[in-house]
């Protein structure tokens, strides 16, 4: 999903897809553990379509082997979080940039 | 009430020797997905096999169904720890799909509608160990479970059995896929409990 854009699907197909996601606020706990600050209010720019929005506005798919964060505009994978017993793997390569306000 | 002893747990394990380590049995069929579910009409579905030289074989739905079909009953093992035993599928063996492919590649990347990818050694797909399945329990495979057609590699964790399959690319160099690049094991053998990097 990071390297291959959706193929062979028309707008009609895209309209027919169903969703099993929650909003980006669901990431709060995962990201707080990693960044030690609330990242759901951080502003990210999608590496797929360029949409800029707070992470809380992204779509989070959790019924999967890991957590997948997708752009609400184009469904591009913004990030993935996989938790193993001894480590957590974070990939935010789908975000062109991310801007987080520092705590006071 | 008598306390549950370690011996009791031991007998439970003895009753389910068919489960790989760390797995538990389910009777339903959980749906896991890393994104929106593609709904691909069969009349617009296609499957390609692309060799490392760029040569490509292509099947549409009718041509795919004209290939020899096989019925298989297999056990499924998801890396999220559930296992489902005795599942019934119909599809085409990878031995059939790859029979006319000339290649010296050792690796395969499976591509799905929606962009998902997963990788495995070519040898893991041959010798009657893998299929492209279009029917589950005598019914057309539902989109939630990967229909119109999915890869079925039951001897590896289920993330290797890519849903919504549309392409297989043969590569001389291993190219880790969606979960393999995010912390999951490159091989994913449930009997060796190869869940994460380093297992």
């Amino acid at each position: 999903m990071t390297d291959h854009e959706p193929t062979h699907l028309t707008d009609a197909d895209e309209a027919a897809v169903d969703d099993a996601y929650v909003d980006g606020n669901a990431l709060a706990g995962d990201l707080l553990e990693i960044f030690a600050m609330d990242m759901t209010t951080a502003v990210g720019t999608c590496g797929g379509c360029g949409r800029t929005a707070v992470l809380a506005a992204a779509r989070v798919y959790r019924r999967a082997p890991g957590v997948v964060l997708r752009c609400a505009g184009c469904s591009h994978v913004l990030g993935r979080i996989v938790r193993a017993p001894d480590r957590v793997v974070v990939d935010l390569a789908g975000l062109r940039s991310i801007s987080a306000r520092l705590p006071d | 009430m008598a306390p549950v002893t370690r011996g009791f747990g031991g007998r439970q394990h003895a009753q389910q020797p068919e489960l790989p380590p760390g797995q538990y049995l389910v009777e339903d069929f959980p749906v896991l997905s890393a994104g929106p579910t593609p709904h691909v009409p069969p009349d617009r579905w296609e499957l390609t096999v692309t060799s490392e030289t760029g040569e490509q074989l292509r099947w549409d739905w009718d041509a795919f169904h004209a290939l020899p079909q096989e019925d298989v009953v297999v056990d499924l093992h998801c890396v999220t720890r559930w296992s489902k035993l005795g599942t019934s599928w119909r599809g085409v063996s990878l031995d059939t799909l790859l029979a006319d492919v000339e290649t010296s590649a050792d690796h395969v990347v499976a591509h799905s509608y929606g962009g998902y990818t997963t990788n495995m050694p070519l040898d893991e797909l041959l010798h009657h160990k893998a299929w492209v399945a279009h029917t589950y329990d005598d019914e057309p495979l539902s989109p939630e479970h990967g229909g119109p057609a999915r890869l079925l590699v039951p001897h590896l964790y289920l993330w290797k059995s890519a849903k919504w399959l549309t392409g297989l690319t043969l590569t001389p160099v291993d190219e880790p896929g969606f979960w393999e690049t995010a912390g999951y094991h490159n091989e994913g053998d449930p009997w060796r409990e190869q869940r994460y990097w380093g297992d």
Side-chain angles (χ1 to χ4, degrees):
Chain A
M1 297 178 189
T2 51
D3 298 329
H4 302 279
E5 295 302 313
T7 56
H8 309 297
L9 292 179
T10 66
D11 291 345
D13 295 321
E14 294 289 354
V17 300
D18 57 5
D19 292 299
Y21 63 88
V22 293
D23 70 51
N25 286 298
L27 277 179
D30 299 283
L31 294 180
L32 182 64
E33 181 182 59
I34 298 160
F35 292 100
M37 57 187 290
D38 179 13
M39 292 295 288
T40 58
T41 58
V43 175
T45 299
C46 173
C49 69
R51 176 189 174 108
T52 297
V54 293
L55 293 190
R59 296 178 174 180
V60 176
Y61 292 82
R62 304 192 69 113
R63 291 189 303 176
V67 177
V68 180
L69 182 68
R70 288 178 176 270
C71 174
C74 71
S75 203
H76 181 71
V77 175
L78 302 175
R80 302 170 294 175
I81 303 172
V82 168
R83 185 180 300 273
D86 63 341
R87 78 188 76 189
V88 59
V89 179
V90 181
D91 168 20
L92 297 176
L95 282 164
R96 188 179 301 164
S97 66
I98 186 165
S99 170
R101 187 171 293 281
L102 295 171
D104 293 332
Chain B
M1 178 177 169
V4 176
T5 67
R6 296 179 70 179
F8 180 75
R11 285 200 301 277
Q12 272 192 319
H13 182 74
Q15 288 167 357
Q16 296 182 340
E18 65 274 39
L19 289 185
Q23 297 294 110
Y24 65 89
L25 191 62
V26 299
E27 297 298 331
D28 60 346
F29 195 165
V31 174
L32 277 71
S33 185
T37 298
H39 288 246
V40 183
D43 64 358
R44 306 227 325 263
W45 176 88
E46 69 171 14
L47 176 66
T48 59
V49 172
T50 307
S51 76
E52 71 274 24
T53 63
E55 288 187 55
Q56 192 170 72
L57 300 175
R58 184 182 300 264
W59 296 269
D60 63 15
W61 194 245
D62 290 338
F64 178 66
H65 279 71
L67 296 170
Q69 305 289 312
E70 296 184 15
D71 292 304
V72 295
V73 177
V74 298
D75 301 336
L76 306 179
H77 307 295
C78 179
V79 74
T80 60
R81 298 188 180 275
W82 60 265
S83 290
K84 184 174 178 60
L85 306 182
T87 61
S88 300
W89 304 80
R90 180 175 302 132
V92 177
S93 168
L94 265 292
D95 295 296
T96 300
L97 291 168
L98 299 174
D100 296 328
V101 178
E102 289 192 19
T103 183
S104 59
D106 292 325
H107 304 276
V108 178
V109 178
H111 300 269
S112 300
Y113 289 98
Y116 180 76
T117 60
T118 187
N119 61 301
M120 60 209 86
L122 174 60
D123 196 55
E124 298 289 351
L125 295 179
L126 299 175
H127 318 301
H128 209 67
K129 290 187 293 190
W131 299 265
V132 176
H134 54 76
T135 298
Y136 170 71
D137 251 357
D138 292 324
E139 298 286 341
L141 185 58
S142 68
E144 289 72 22
H145 287 300
R150 73 178 297 168
L151 191 59
L152 184 63
V153 195
H155 67 287
L156 302 179
Y157 280 125
L158 200 54
W159 91 75
K160 297 284 190 180
S161 295
K163 296 178 177 182
W164 317 298
L165 185 72
T166 188
L168 297 167
T169 302
L170 297 152
T171 62
V173 178
D174 194 16
E175 297 178 11
F178 183 81
W179 289 120
E180 293 86 355
T181 56
Y184 279 97
H185 199 279
N186 204 48
E187 296 170 32
D189 181 345
W191 297 97
R192 299 170 66 185
E193 208 167 1
Q194 294 172 328
R195 299 181 193 274
Y196 303 103
W197 292 349
D199 283 348

